Amino acid sequence: MKKKAKFAYCEKKNIEIEDFPLIFRGKAVFLHQKITFSTIYIFKEMKKSLLQRERAAYQPKLPKGLQGAVKVKEGEPTQSVGDQEEIKKMFPNTYGMPLIEFVPGEANVDRKMNVGVILSGGQAPGGHNVICGIFDAVKKINPANKLYGFILGPGGLVDHNYMELTADIIDEYRNTGGFDMIGSGRTKLEKVDQFEKGLEIIRELDIQAVVIIGGDDSNTNACVLAEYYAAKNYGVQVIGCPKTIDGDLKNDQIETSFGFDTATKTYAELIGNIERDCNSARKYWHFIKLMGRSASHIALECALQCQPNICIISEEVEKKDMSLNQIVEQIASAVADRATRGDNFGVVLIPEGLIEFIPSIGRLIDELNDLLAEHGADYKDLDKAAQREYILAHLSKENAETFGTLPEGVARQLSLDRDPHGNVQVSLIETEKLLSDMVDAKLAEWKKEGKYVGKFAALHHFFGYEGRCAAPSNFDADYCYALGVSAAQLIANGKTGYMAIVKNTTAGTDDWKAGGVPITMMMNMERRNGEMKPVIRKALVELEGKPFKKFVEKRDEWARETCFVYPGPIQYWGPASVCDRTTRTLALEQEDK
Ligand code: FBP
């Protein structure tokens, strides 16, 4: 409906424009709080493609332990991965709980429970299937149970924006990508008044448990909320779910975060297409930046799938204490070497988070974080030039020098507001452009010195948002649905402060093992926004791990020769060897386990 028509409708019905109903499947569904026009547009009835229609009929495969009646098998008590004493003190009610596995049982729990669900942070393929899994499981446990979706992320809980998720709505979104069923957001749940505000709507809707589907930061919030409600004896359970395309929410208990599989397969398809174009025209160097705020898992996985000439791994840059100039020389050397054989073309993959891992820039960002946290107010009102001067005047000598040498756009981006979790918005920094400009300059220098004879023409790409809402691969469709069912079972069995997990994911789905891990088990203390905070430890690329070692074994050959592989699009139907194939990262990591 057009904006004008909406105003006319509200006038006729004598309602405020903020109370305009959500039109879903031709029916007016009144949200119970003020919503904005942008919110309304999310819920427009979907037009389905043929693929979507066929895909809707796909029934995700469940592990044996979740197929029928479910029994809880408890493991040993757990402890946090670091700073045990501090974490234990901060989470007295949710610390030390045992690991849980669901195994086939005799009788199912028949619990009356209403559940609220929140999608938090960046989109990741499969989020809708988590919600579908929760829905099917809570209805199976007791058909009177209700599922509510909080709208546009954790803020929906605090602002009381929600909708009941009925079978009609759920069926629209089975096996689809995106988070548009209820939307997502990055509001950080950390203050008591937010928890209390949330409780009001939880009580009003008679909700017994909230599931937060998110990455490391959002699950940290889930843990804090679980502890708060437990400490207050409110009887509200909080369960987390491991989401992020970045692949950095993994550890001994979480084999992979959902969305990584589909997103990397989508990027690998695009990179493969570029490689083929590159190998056909033989005249460009393609610089491709890939999402992944911090860790380089996405870049590494795409490299293993596509065999580009160069892939930079941030964790290695940090370990080797490399400067920006050394990275540029490494790329320029490979370009110059290929040029000696007449190959003036190639593909370079760059992880989005690289800039923070270059040690000198990392130190600068740490100081900037503290500076912006401390002096936020007096800095914000200054104009651009004055902000730069302010920063240069307040930084230590070493960091001021680094800041001064950065191109203005990059320096500016590093000095802007952090996201609500204190992260630099690295997706907005054009590292691919920065590196190719510097490589160009280096090659020009070498040309003058007679060390380089080729031609260098660069093209730039950034693949991030292109993959976050892709239709989930079979792996993510199954994995997410199982995570949703697992979350519902954790709730039915009275658990709180747990994250739903599914393990043994390189075996057939029947043999996957579903259960729960206490969130406190994954926590340690880290500095955020100038303060030490309990957070889930991020999993970076392990330089001793098999995926990186495999890459190192091959990379010199890939740099010299043209060894491109073109993976093609995700397949939903066909031989299992193609359709159900996991990522190389997961396969290599699980090889000996
Ligand atoms: P999550 O950690 O919330 O899953 O988000 C990851 C991510 O996709 C990063 O790869 C990227 O840097 C960031 O989100 C982009 O954030 P935004 O969606 O706010 O632009």
Side-chain angles (χ1 to χ4, degrees):
M1 200 186 275
K2 291 262 159 46
K3 209 168 178 176
K4 244 178 162 179
K6 281 196 177 117
F7 279 105
Y9 176 97
C10 293
E11 207 171 58
K12 192 166 149 213
K13 298 272 176 193
N14 197 20
I15 58 171
E16 294 297 319
I17 188 70
E18 291 87 355
D19 295 329
F20 182 84
L22 171 163
I23 305 294
F24 192 83
R25 307 185 107 232
K27 281 186 231 143
V29 180
F30 281 86
L31 289 170
H32 300 264
Q33 271 285 319
K34 290 186 175 170
I35 54 168
T36 60
F37 272 125
S38 56
T39 326
I40 295 164
Y41 281 118
I42 302 179
F43 307 103
K44 272 204 301 213
E45 194 181 352
M46 285 196 296
K47 292 267 178 288
K48 278 199 185 142
S49 69
L50 281 176
L51 174 76
Q52 248 176 291
R53 276 179 215 282
E54 291 297 331
R55 192 66 185 148
Y58 177 76
Q59 182 52 52
K61 306 183 271 301
L62 271 180
K64 268 207 192 97
L66 293 177
Q67 283 171 12
V70 167
K71 198 169 83 186
V72 169
K73 190 172 132 195
E74 284 195 357
E76 296 295 310
T78 57
Q79 51 175 359
S80 61
V81 287
D83 309 297
Q84 285 87 7
E85 284 314 309
E86 271 164 291
I87 304 282
K88 190 173 175 180
K89 236 186 254 162
M90 292 172 136
F91 297 90
N93 297 281
T94 50
Y95 189 86
M97 301 183 296
L99 283 169
I100 281 175
E101 187 187 331
F102 294 122
V103 291
E106 306 273 289
N108 224 337
V109 191
D110 169 26
R111 195 176 151 201
K112 171 76 189 73
M113 58 195 205
N114 292 338
V115 174
V117 64
I118 297 172
L119 289 166
S120 179
Q123 284 69 255
H128 288 156
N129 267 27
V130 178
I131 300 181
C132 296
I134 300 173
F135 178 86
D136 291 348
V138 297
K139 291 285 180 189
K140 192 167 161 195
I141 288 166
N142 186 329
N145 289 339
K146 287 186 175 171
L147 179 64
Y148 293 97
F150 288 102
I151 289 166
L152 290 174
L157 176 70
V158 181
D159 301 334
H160 302 185
N161 277 335
Y162 68 90
M163 64 194 284
E164 188 187 339
L165 298 172
T166 57
D168 276 359
I169 298 174
I170 291 289
D171 287 346
E172 287 282 339
Y173 291 92
R174 289 187 190 272
N175 309 309
T176 58
F179 277 8
D180 46 329
M181 181 197 292
I182 52 175
S184 183
R186 290 197 186 274
T187 303
K188 189 165 169 59
L189 289 181
E190 59 178 349
K191 300 201 179 91
V192 166
D193 54 341
Q194 290 175 311
F195 304 159
E196 290 292 335
K197 203 80 189 101
L199 186 74
E200 286 170 17
I201 193 68
I202 285 173
R203 291 280 187 250
E204 195 182 313
L205 300 173
D206 190 24
I207 285 176
Q208 281 73 47
V210 177
V211 181
I212 300 183
I213 302 171
D216 52 339
D217 289 328
S218 313
N219 275 289
T220 295
N221 298 163
C223 194
V224 173
L225 189 64
E227 175 64 31
Y228 180 82
Y229 286 162
K232 291 275 178 184
N233 254 324
Y234 285 162
V236 180
Q237 300 159 250
V238 183
I239 300 295
C241 223
K243 167 236 73 165
T244 178
I245 60 159
D246 291 2
D248 55 8
L249 178 47
K250 66 176 170 184
N251 46 48
D252 287 346
Q253 306 307 325
I254 300 171
E255 293 178 357
T256 184
S257 53
F258 80 74
F260 179 71
D261 187 272
T262 312
T264 52
K265 283 174 179 160
T266 306
Y267 303 141
E269 181 204 349
L270 297 172
I271 295 165
N273 294 348
I274 286 179
E275 286 181 339
R276 204 151 209 167
D277 193 287
C278 177
N279 199 19
S280 307
R282 304 190 169 213
K283 60 177 180 183
Y284 294 125
W285 271 89
H286 293 264
F287 282 68
I288 306 174
K289 182 174 79 165
L290 289 160
M291 245 186 194
R293 188 202 312 286
S294 236
S296 310
H297 298 293
I298 293 181
L300 178 57
E301 172 62 25
C302 290
L304 293 171
Q305 288 194 36
C306 304
Q307 307 189 178
N309 303 101
I310 300 165
C311 174
I312 307 291
I313 299 297
S314 309
E315 290 81 346
E316 185 183 28
V317 166
E318 181 172 63
K319 179 77 195 303
K320 291 187 172 166
D321 199 4
M322 286 173 83
S323 64
L324 187 55
N325 200 37
Q326 281 170 313
I327 301 169
V328 169
E329 285 199 357
Q330 183 188 321
I331 302 173
S333 302
V335 173
D337 179 54
R338 280 175 68 78
T340 58
R341 289 182 297 282
D343 292 340
N344 290 304
F345 65 94
V347 170
V348 185
L349 302 187
I350 301 150
E352 177 185 69
L354 176 65
I355 206 91
E356 287 190 285
F357 281 76
I358 298 172
S360 56
I361 304 182
R363 286 191 292 276
L364 163 67
I365 291 174
D366 285 346
E367 197 180 346
L368 276 174
N369 285 347
D370 291 353
L371 187 69
L372 296 180
E374 241 175 81
H375 297 270
D378 49 341
Y379 166 81
K380 269 193 194 100
D381 295 336
L382 302 175
D383 66 23
K384 257 195 203 174
Q387 282 188 335
R388 189 177 163 85
E389 287 313 310
Y390 180 98
I391 284 180
L392 283 166
H394 285 81
L395 283 175
S396 63
K397 191 165 170 283
E398 185 210 342
N399 288 335
E401 264 167 33
T402 310
F403 190 81
T405 58
L406 290 174
E408 218 173 305
V410 177
R412 172 100 195 117
Q413 197 55 52
L414 295 184
S415 12
L416 291 181
D417 275 352
R418 303 309 187 233
D419 80 0
H421 298 274
N423 303 307
V424 175
Q425 304 211 32
V426 281
S427 64
L428 303 177
I429 300 178
E430 293 184 313
T431 335
E432 67 285 21
K433 184 97 189 25
L434 169 72
L435 284 179
S436 96
D437 285 353
M438 292 178 78
V439 167
D440 198 9
K442 180 63 64 186
L443 291 170
E445 215 180 275
W446 288 352
K447 203 164 226 172
K448 273 195 206 146
E449 296 166 12
K451 292 190 202 154
Y452 169 66
V453 287
K455 287 187 208 135
F456 179 74
L459 291 176
H460 309 104
H461 316 264
F462 169 36
F463 297 147
Y465 300 97
E466 293 80 351
R468 297 201 312 184
C469 286
S473 59
N474 285 354
F475 177 87
D476 272 328
D478 295 344
Y479 182 51
C480 290
Y481 190 78
L483 283 171
V485 175
S486 217
Q489 285 298 348
L490 285 168
I491 299 166
N493 285 283
K495 307 296 175 193
T496 191
Y498 274 82
M499 196 185 296
I501 52 167
V502 176
K503 292 163 78 167
N504 204 27
T505 50
T506 44
T509 14
D510 262 1
D511 297 322
W512 288 6
K513 296 193 184 321
V517 54
I519 305 180
T520 50
M521 188 184 178
M522 298 176 270
M523 294 184 115
N524 67 167
M525 300 296 290
E526 285 175 26
R527 199 170 176 79
R528 295 286 168 93
N529 277 334
E531 268 178 70
M532 290 306 281
K533 295 240 164 108
V535 291
I536 292 177
R537 186 183 277 174
K538 239 186 220 319
L540 300 178
V541 168
E542 277 183 29
L543 302 183
E544 289 309 312
K546 282 196 169 173
F548 181 71
K549 283 193 165 165
K550 177 67 122 201
F551 166 67
V552 170
E553 209 181 290
K554 300 283 183 187
R555 67 175 159 190
D556 291 344
E557 186 192 343
W558 296 350
R560 231 182 11 255
E561 317 292 332
T562 303
C563 305
F564 298 157
V565 172
Y566 317 120
I570 294 176
Q571 301 294 311
Y572 301 99
W573 297 276
S577 58
V578 179
C579 300
D580 297 344
R581 190 172 189 184
T582 60
T583 57
R584 306 290 189 281
T585 306
L586 183 61
L588 287 163
E589 281 174 349
Q590 298 301 313
E591 230 170 39
D592 304 328
K593 290 195 178 160

